[in-house]
Amino acid sequence: MRLYVLVLISNFPTSDSQPDTQEIYEKPRSKRRRSSSAVGRIGRSRSASPSRVATLRATDLLTTCISVISSVISEDCRYQISSIRPSRPPNALQAVTMSLAEFLVHVYKHEPRVLSMLGFAVLPAFKTFKPAMHIRLIAFFESILGWILDHLRQLRGTTTPPNPESAAGKNTHIYRRVHS
Amino acid sequence: MDEVQEEPPFATEGWRKWSNAETARAAIRSTTAPDQDVGIYHLSSLIPPLVAAVLESIDLSIPSNPVVQRFHRLFRNLVNEKPDAYLDILSIIAYYTPKARYAAAHLLCLYWPKAVGHFVVSKSFPDVIPSESSVSTQRRGSLTWRASTHDHPYAHQFTPWHFTRSSRPIIFEGSGINDCRACLQPISGFGLLCPFCTCAVHLECYDYPDGSFFTQYLSAPDSEIQKVAVHRFCHVQPTKRDALAISIRMEQHTFRMVNIFSLSLCFICREPLWGYIMQGLKCGGCKQFVHVDCISKAEISMIPRCRSVQIDSTSMTIPYSALRQSFLRYYHNFPLTDSHLRHTTYEELSVFYAVLWTQLEVLNHGITLGSIVVEHNAEVVEGEDIMEPFELHNLVHLYEITLSVGDLPASSSLLEYMSENGLRPHQYTMAFDWNTLAYITSVIKTPAPTENPNPGISSRLLSVDQNDAQGDDFLEDSAYPFEIVSLAHLRDQLGNVLNITSDVAARYLLSHLHHVGLLQRLDSEMVLFEDDPQMAQTQCCSPIALGFDVSIDLETLVSSIETCLTDINLSVNEMGFLLLSRRIWPDGMLSDYTFHRMTKAILSWLFCEVYQYN
């Protein structure tokens, strides 16, 4: 099922399709084929019917994709790869999932609802990922939060307040300007 | 012949509002407010779960952890871009797991300490924020700014206060809100209050470390008689914990802003430091006081080096006439005569009276403690001597009589508040009643009343056009309070709702609200008003809801207090009590439902504690 969705994603049109999109989706597909032959069989059989792909709308695909990401993060990412090799580090699945999520954030950075859905999809990662991945998770949420706060600022009409640290460090207005 | 009446400097007729189109746009409602764009709800709904998820997986008390440092960076960005993030933190305290609640309480204390208050009983949260520049130093010649270390987490910020003896029966002596923390006796009249933990003390019982010092000096250059002056003061805390205790360094002095309780003289200009709060700066080395203007306008060469000046009688003594002149210069914009008083409202006069009454007390205590010595008619007034009254005494007496007569008009909002609480205008001092100040803060956050642009529209009230127009403007006309407003909006609301049309009174009242922690500037500056053309556009907020707010956030506040009191951690319990005592103190304006929930929470906590120790 997951491989099937990944194939669909690689085919549905996006306005900002990147040349490396295929590579990102190829990578997990190839890794998962080695690890799970049963799922691979399904993927191979499904890929022979492109007519079904064309009937699905992009938004449904996106929602499905986000739900798959959510499912992978909450369930599969609890585990690490047991037979570690240089090409397959212990948190390979987690890293690939995060890369996919980051890519979707980049593509849909101007759509608040999608950002919110992506955020909620990745949120369980703080429980399921190992602590070593927490920094990457926070970095991911820093980027998503940046876009969210940007949209919020536009919708609410707030102006960015002056940075309090710079004001405290300069110490100019606390007691009026001294020897300006 | 009619005398030409000079318009008093605080003219109330046709007062000029501070708001304009730009300041009106700056008024922002919280992301939990109703009837906003759906996108706002989608976007803001992620923030509390996100922060809670991170808080459950990290330990904030280990600042060296790179994950913690990265989180603080994320949180600082969040606070900078979304100034009302304190509401998201409050919802984490109210609705999430104990671990997230503890960490969220920690964050609230770190980033909004004046809104929460400080602990007194239990262990304070670790004061650890990995700031980007823990020590920033700039040098301009011999002038150096340096951010010093953190203040003690239990540090008080005492403020002069007027205490009224409660008419209610006392159940446990020494435990009332107006009882002195040192001698356990009730305080009546002048005292000191720390508004961040509700600790009250008599000035005589005030023995705060780093809050008083003695100065010995010779009474005359050729005399061998030594005199002792006692100075009582308290440092003013910064608005944010990571802003650190701001100090100004020059000529080896280290100046910090203080509240002075015994009138003292500036060591540069030798004039009194008038004012009732934040009168000036004090050097930590030589312990001299100075006006802010004196060190900002004087040449560096005019400022003596720290500890280079011998303190003698000239540092403490001022002629009576100079004292009077100095007073009249400082308070020139107060109503000085009976005719001026006819133009004031009850609220305005309450503010003026509060300021001058406190000023008189500070002067009297200064004379009693010897921090100021007045020379009058070749005699020296010091210690227990009674000074000849001058304008200050006369004005306080005049204001007191005018207020007690009860003829001055009061606003409908304040009258409603007083009637719900069974108060009479002449029976209490508005500016020193905590719940009144909270009520005022809550009221001035509401939208300004809109004027009907077309007086003839009333005949077409049932027309479709009119209804459509009303539907479009629903959010604008609704009474849902704003979360972030400009200073201009706050000032104008004081005029619209409380009839405070005098700019002087409005400034004093807003500064007072800011000083006790009910208002805060978004940029966390210590001084509310500055000499700045853009001052009216300064954005302010009142972090964390108040019991008088008519908003959804009140439910979050009540729930957070309930969950804090059910928590097993004593620090979280104390935070709940701090929020309760500073934000939802029992009042006649609160609903029975609020009373039931708060009473149940308190009694449950009591029974749990008793059960635990049995």
Side-chain angles (χ1 to χ4, degrees), chain A residues 112-113 115-116 119-120 123 126-127 131 134-135 138-139 141-142 144-145 147-153 155-165 167-180, chain B residues 28-31 37 39-40 42-43 45-46 49-50 53-54 56-57 66-67 70 73-74 76 78 80-82 84 136 138 140 143 145 242 246-248 257 281 292-293 295-296 298 300 523 525 527 530 539:
Chain A
R113 196 159 174 272
L115 288 177
S116 177
F120 278 109
L123 215 48
F126 281 105
K127 287 285 185 195
H134 283 173
I135 279 208
I138 293 182
F141 279 109
E142 267 186 307
I144 208 173
L145 205 61
W147 292 112
I148 284 176
L149 293 173
D150 202 37
H151 288 301
L152 263 182
R153 193 171 57 242
L155 286 171
R156 297 171 87 190
T158 50
T159 52
T160 309
N163 189 349
E165 276 99 10
K170 288 178 187 169
N171 200 3
T172 51
H173 296 295
I174 296 294
Y175 306 128
R176 297 187 201 158
R177 190 174 293 277
V178 179
H179 293 277
S180 58
Chain B
I28 308 292
R29 288 189 169 91
S30 71
T31 49
D37 193 296
I40 292 177
H42 279 145
L43 294 166
S45 62
L46 177 62
L50 166 61
V54 179
E56 283 177 14
S57 51
V67 181
R70 199 68 189 260
R73 192 172 95 174
L74 178 148
R76 265 197 292 268
L78 173 63
N80 286 344
E81 296 289 331
K82 186 178 186 284
D84 58 341
S136 62
Q138 292 181 8
R140 285 187 191 177
L143 189 61
W145 287 272
D242 72 339
I246 303 299
S247 60
I248 292 180
M257 182 65 79
L281 309 173
V292 172
D293 282 343
I295 62 163
S296 61
I300 289 240
D523 52 12
E525 295 277 334
V527 177
E530 290 174 343
Q539 289 194 296

Side-chain angles (χ1 to χ4, degrees), chain A residues 29-56:
Chain A
R29 192 169 59 189
S30 61
K31 285 188 177 172
R32 296 298 293 272
R33 266 193 191 147
R34 277 195 289 275
S35 60
S36 173
S37 57
V39 180
R41 274 201 294 275
I42 295 171
R44 274 193 286 273
S45 63
R46 286 297 183 194
S47 61
S49 55
S51 58
R52 193 176 297 187
V53 170
T55 60
L56 291 173

